[in-house]
Amino acid sequence: KVQAETGYAVQGYLPQRLEVRPVLIASGRGVKTKTNVEYARLVDVAPTVARLLGFEMRVARGHALTTMLEQTVQP
């Protein structure tokens, strides 16, 4: 979408719009099967991937979505 007044492209929605939610589909070693995380934020994706890779993002605004991770995945 391009804003007419600026000519610049924009994307995304305000986080306050609860009807617009991103989708995250994860699969592979360390990820539980058939797990549904009811609410997650975009800032939670990087800490979750970091945890899967075996390290911790301590200064990230989000947190690892541990409910979708196997117990054996440790930072």
Side-chain angles (χ1 to χ4, degrees):
K1 177 180 176 183
V2 176
Q3 288 182 333
E5 60 273 4
T6 64
Y8 292 108
V10 295
Q11 65 182 27
Y13 296 93
L14 294 173
Q16 293 84 358
R17 292 189 59 190
L18 297 177
E19 72 275 10
V20 181
R21 295 185 187 179
V23 174
L24 170 64
I25 299 173
S27 177
R29 189 172 71 198
V31 179
K32 291 181 184 177
T33 59
K34 299 182 182 177
T35 301
N36 183 17
V37 177
E38 187 62 33
Y39 178 77
R41 300 169 304 154
L42 191 56
V43 296
D44 297 332
V45 174
T48 303
V49 172
R51 176 73 60 90
L52 284 168
L53 294 173
F55 62 93
E56 191 80 23
M57 291 183 68
R58 295 187 179 144
V59 295
R61 290 182 65 195
H63 67 279
L65 301 170
T66 56
T67 57
M68 66 180 278
L69 301 178
E70 294 287 345
Q71 297 258 343
T72 57
V73 178
Q74 297 294 325

